[in-house]
Amino acid sequence: MIRIERNPAPSAATLALSYVGACVMGFAISALLIAATGYDPAEAFGAIWQGAVGSQTAMIGSLVKATPLILTGLAAAIAFRARLWSIGQEGQVYAGAMAGWCAVLLVPDAPALLLIPLALIFGAAGGAGLGAVAAGLRTRYGVNEIISTVMLNYIIVYLLSWLLSGGAWGEVGATVSYQQSPPAPEAAQLPNFDDRGRLHLGFAIALAASLACAALIARTPLGFEIRALGGNGEALRRRGVDVGRLTLVVMALSGALAGLAGIGEVLGVTDRLRGDELYGLGYAGVVIGLIAGLRPIGVLVAGLFFGGLANGAVFMSVLSDAPAALAQAIQGVLLISILCGGVAARTRLRRTVAHVG
Amino acid sequence: MSADLYDGAIVVSILAATLRTMTPLLFSAMGELVTQRAGIWNMSVEGAMLSGAFAAYIAIATTGSPVLALLAAIFAGMMVSLLNAILTASLKVDHFVAGLALNLLAAGLTLFWFRAFISGRGQPTFDGLAPPDWALADLPVLGPILFAQRPLTWLAFLCVPLVWFLLYRTRQGLELRCLGENPAVLDFKGVNVVARQYAASLFGGAMTGLGGGFLILAFSDRFLPDITAGRGWLVVVAIIAGGWRPLGVLAAVTVFAFLEALAIHAQVLGLGLPHQLFLAAPYIASLLLLTHLRHRDRQPALLGEVYRRGER
């Protein structure tokens, strides 16, 4: 007889195997999906591969796309580690972009050396502020953070839409429906490592943030408290830790990372504030955080992977008429299969010998 | 005099729009209320509603039949909730993670499928559900508000007493509520806990899918990738703010729908406020509702807790 039982501490090999199996499964399902919509899976994957890493320009483009995803992925991972199910990264990206834009509006004539750090600090603070609101709603009023962050996401997107179309920030003379600000001053544009592909300072920030988050979670007292809050909040409370304050710190930190992603896109890629360019970065970060098993270095890897996928999918959509939204579909499918893979790793089959006599 | 008439017409129009916008929310909220009372913290409502709307769109764009479109919507909603039940009731994945994942899956799949569907031919439009054309609809005031509504709107309102009756006056309802409070008791009795949770999930998914189908067939002549625009989340808020009781949920849904109806009329009302403020109003209201209504004690005791036989 074979019994199914739980295996709370699977070995590294089991975990790796289930992970690889889940990825294979995810891609197989994605291939079926592509075939079902009338495209050739081999051609589509080939085009994505070529568009992601096929040339130097493609690779740089992938790194640029990966930059905000790594930051929002880290934002999700930090919050989820503390079992704070914040999906406010989406709104915090917008809040960061808007707060950073405020800095640009405040001192538009400042030199780059002053303006860029200021805009980045404002951006991080904007995201952190929105995260802090959700933390306050949870601690003060007991509002579930998933719901409050979703509501704040919608509210902040409408706020930006108002500022850009009817309000003070829109580009004068442009069609209202464009919903964009005038271009940023040259001094505000993030420095590039590569002139053709615009691999900007944000990528270095994302790399540094991954390492910093890994060190934070593994090696600092705050990291210990975050992990403890995720494990058993009650025990932490009994030890005298102020859980409300900790929640605030985690949510603000998570928001700051997402806010950096937002201002990085504005000053590194689009050079002006536009809502549509920021859409979906936060939700993709949730996928990346979960797929990476909430590990910062895993987020870095997954962020690079999905950056390549997004970049490759755009290339594919230019090459054929297959829609670039395939990237989002593959993201969703991979997420579900990796969740199931995680369950499979924590389950074992044991052959039980029937007792005779 | 003519100004009064005009104001009166606006009020009638807003009230009629309120009932219309309540419809998808009510279907979904009554379904998900049942799911939540069974102990499943379903966070995939938004994804199920979006899938329902998309399935209805594909069905009506290819067959032209609203009935088939509604059936497709119900089916799609059930598929999402089936996945949610597999992940939560069988695989014991955290309810929040499962719900988030399914929303992201639904958003990604519908966006891709939609773009693939319209690729190279432009978006087909369709004739959705028209309100009935009968004598009662011509009554002053009450006609447009009550009788010029689509029959599904009446059905949605009928669902409130029906779900109340199911939950509080039937044996199945008692057992269902017990799933959310103390599933071990049902397990001892020999009731299959997991099967019941599947049933409650599928009911919720069907109703949410139907809501999504109504949303697109009654409000639009085309599909938009974010057509649900957070309505699934508003449903979750309505259930919490309504204290997991049918009448409370109805009240919360009314608030959201009224605010949405105001947004539709923002231009005619001409209050000089930004249009975006009207659009954001339901979400602002939901935060206010959640901060000021506290029904922790009414929450099903084991909502969102993974049930494993022999533990706890």
Side-chain angles (χ1 to χ4, degrees):
Chain A
M1 235 185 103
I2 294 174
R3 258 183 49 187
I4 302 173
E5 54 182 44
R6 290 174 70 202
N7 178 8
S11 69
T14 316
L15 272 179
L17 191 69
S18 71
Y19 211 80
V20 171
C23 285
V24 170
M25 192 61 136
F27 277 107
I29 295 172
S30 302
L32 283 178
L33 188 74
I34 298 168
T37 41
Y39 302 106
D40 180 2
E43 245 172 58
F45 282 133
I48 291 178
W49 178 260
Q50 205 191 336
V53 292
S55 67
Q56 204 191 345
T57 326
M59 277 161 120
I60 288 171
S62 298
L63 295 181
V64 174
K65 290 264 190 220
T67 301
L69 301 181
I70 295 169
L71 286 167
T72 53
L74 290 172
I78 292 269
F80 291 0
R81 262 298 173 91
R83 286 186 77 80
L84 293 169
W85 301 118
S86 157
I87 37 178
Q89 295 82 13
E90 181 80 11
Q92 288 150 6
V93 166
Y94 281 76
M98 287 156 71
W101 191 251
C102 281
V104 175
L105 292 179
L106 272 179
V107 282
D109 301 324
L113 223 51
L114 176 73
L115 187 50
I116 288 172
L118 194 69
L120 292 177
I121 292 170
F122 268 57
L130 197 62
V133 171
L137 286 170
R138 177 186 157 102
T139 315
R140 267 291 312 269
Y141 297 102
V143 180
N144 177 297
E145 68 278 7
I146 288 200
I147 290 161
S148 66
T149 49
V150 170
M151 298 300 146
L152 290 170
N153 287 350
Y154 281 104
I155 294 171
I156 201 96
V157 169
Y158 284 126
L159 177 64
L160 176 63
S161 157
W162 171 63
L163 284 169
L164 290 180
S165 65
W169 289 5
E171 182 170 30
V172 180
T175 320
V176 171
S177 61
Y178 271 16
Q179 301 223 352
Q180 61 180 23
S181 73
E186 211 160 301
Q189 293 176 5
L190 295 184
N192 294 322
F193 300 110
D194 175 285
D195 277 338
R196 283 173 306 155
R198 291 213 67 181
L199 184 60
H200 56 87
L201 180 65
F203 183 70
I205 296 178
L207 276 184
S210 312
L211 299 176
C213 287
L216 171 87
I217 289 185
R219 291 175 197 275
T220 64
L222 177 62
F224 172 76
E225 287 185 356
I226 290 175
R227 282 179 286 142
L229 186 61
N232 186 345
E234 192 50 40
L236 206 57
R237 202 170 280 122
R238 297 257 165 99
R239 282 193 55 189
V241 174
D242 183 344
V243 171
R245 202 191 122 266
L246 181 59
T247 304
L248 182 71
V249 169
V250 174
M251 288 295 292
L253 193 59
S254 161
L257 289 163
L260 280 175
I263 189 60
E265 288 303 285
V266 171
L267 299 183
V269 179
T270 50
D271 288 329
R272 56 171 93 217
L273 190 57
R274 296 180 60 111
D276 53 352
E277 298 285 345
L278 303 172
Y279 181 78
L281 296 176
Y283 293 129
V286 172
V287 179
I288 288 164
L290 286 173
I291 283 183
L294 310 185
R295 289 180 190 84
I297 300 303
V299 167
L300 178 61
V301 176
L304 290 172
F305 176 81
F306 283 110
L309 182 64
N311 195 35
V314 173
F315 181 78
M316 173 197 73
S317 71
V318 177
L319 208 65
S320 65
D321 59 344
L326 179 62
Q328 279 95 313
I330 294 181
Q331 272 177 16
V333 171
L334 271 181
L335 174 57
I336 300 283
S337 50
I338 284 176
L339 278 185
C340 294
V343 173
R346 282 169 186 78
T347 307
R348 64 181 158 207
L349 302 177
R350 172 172 289 177
R351 183 163 299 160
T352 50
V353 183
H355 291 285
V356 182
Chain B
M1 178 64 202
S2 69
D4 285 354
L5 262 180
Y6 182 62
D7 289 350
I10 291 181
V11 171
V12 166
S13 174
I14 290 176
L15 290 179
T18 303
L19 296 198
R20 198 164 63 237
T21 41
M22 278 176 83
T23 311
L25 296 176
L26 260 189
F27 274 128
S28 174
M30 288 304 128
E32 299 301 335
L33 176 61
V34 168
T35 306
Q36 288 207 14
R37 289 304 288 256
I40 303 222
W41 233 147
N42 183 9
M43 289 287 151
S44 66
V45 185
E46 178 78 11
M49 196 182 277
L50 182 61
S51 304
F54 180 68
Y57 168 72
I58 294 289
I60 200 157
T62 43
T63 68
S65 156
V67 176
L68 278 182
L70 288 172
L71 288 176
I74 292 172
F75 178 75
M78 287 173 86
M79 284 301 104
V80 175
S81 65
L82 177 67
L83 275 176
N84 193 56
I86 291 173
L87 288 171
T88 55
S90 295
L91 298 181
K92 320 289 185 196
V93 171
D94 187 289
H95 290 209
F96 290 126
V97 173
L100 288 185
L102 285 174
N103 285 332
L104 294 164
L105 177 72
L109 284 186
T110 53
L111 183 67
F112 168 66
W113 232 315
F114 171 62
R115 294 271 158 77
F117 184 71
I118 62 168
S119 166
R121 58 165 158 170
Q123 162 142 228
T125 55
F126 55 82
D127 295 321
L129 294 170
D133 184 21
W134 57 334
L136 279 174
D138 296 331
L139 281 176
V141 183
L142 285 184
I145 298 177
L146 294 180
F147 300 113
Q149 302 284 0
R150 295 160 182 83
L152 278 175
T153 299
W154 304 330
L155 181 65
F157 278 87
L158 194 61
C159 283
V160 180
L162 286 180
V163 164
W164 176 85
F165 186 82
L166 168 79
L167 284 176
Y168 295 102
R169 288 292 180 272
T170 65
R171 182 194 177 86
Q172 278 72 24
L174 179 67
E175 289 179 350
L176 191 120
R177 285 183 287 136
C178 191
L179 280 176
E181 305 289 345
N182 195 347
V185 170
L186 290 179
D187 211 357
F188 286 139
K189 270 187 67 186
V191 173
N192 187 336
V193 168
V194 170
R196 290 292 177 97
Q197 288 187 327
Y198 268 79
S201 282
L202 286 172
F203 178 73
M207 297 283 278
T208 296
L210 178 60
F214 183 87
L215 186 67
I216 190 163
L217 294 179
F219 290 83
S220 182
D221 61 351
R222 67 193 66 211
F223 182 78
L224 302 165
D226 191 27
I227 192 165
T228 45
R231 285 186 184 82
W233 290 103
L234 290 179
V235 163
V236 177
V237 173
I239 293 170
I240 301 171
W244 288 269
R245 302 288 190 277
L247 275 181
V249 175
L250 174 67
V253 164
T254 312
V255 172
F256 294 147
F258 178 70
L259 291 171
E260 215 185 306
L262 280 187
I264 299 170
H265 293 81
Q267 300 262 311
V268 237
L269 285 169
L271 297 176
L273 295 170
H275 184 224
Q276 285 88 352
L277 183 64
F278 284 98
L279 292 175
Y283 309 106
I284 298 170
S286 68
L287 286 179
L288 290 176
L289 277 178
L290 290 175
T291 47
H292 288 84
L293 291 175
R294 309 178 86 173
H295 298 298
R296 292 276 129 188
D297 48 331
R298 290 188 174 180
Q299 177 171 334
L302 295 186
L303 185 60
E305 300 286 335
V306 165
Y307 175 70
R308 284 196 176 89
R309 177 180 291 174
E311 289 181 15
R312 83 170 48 248

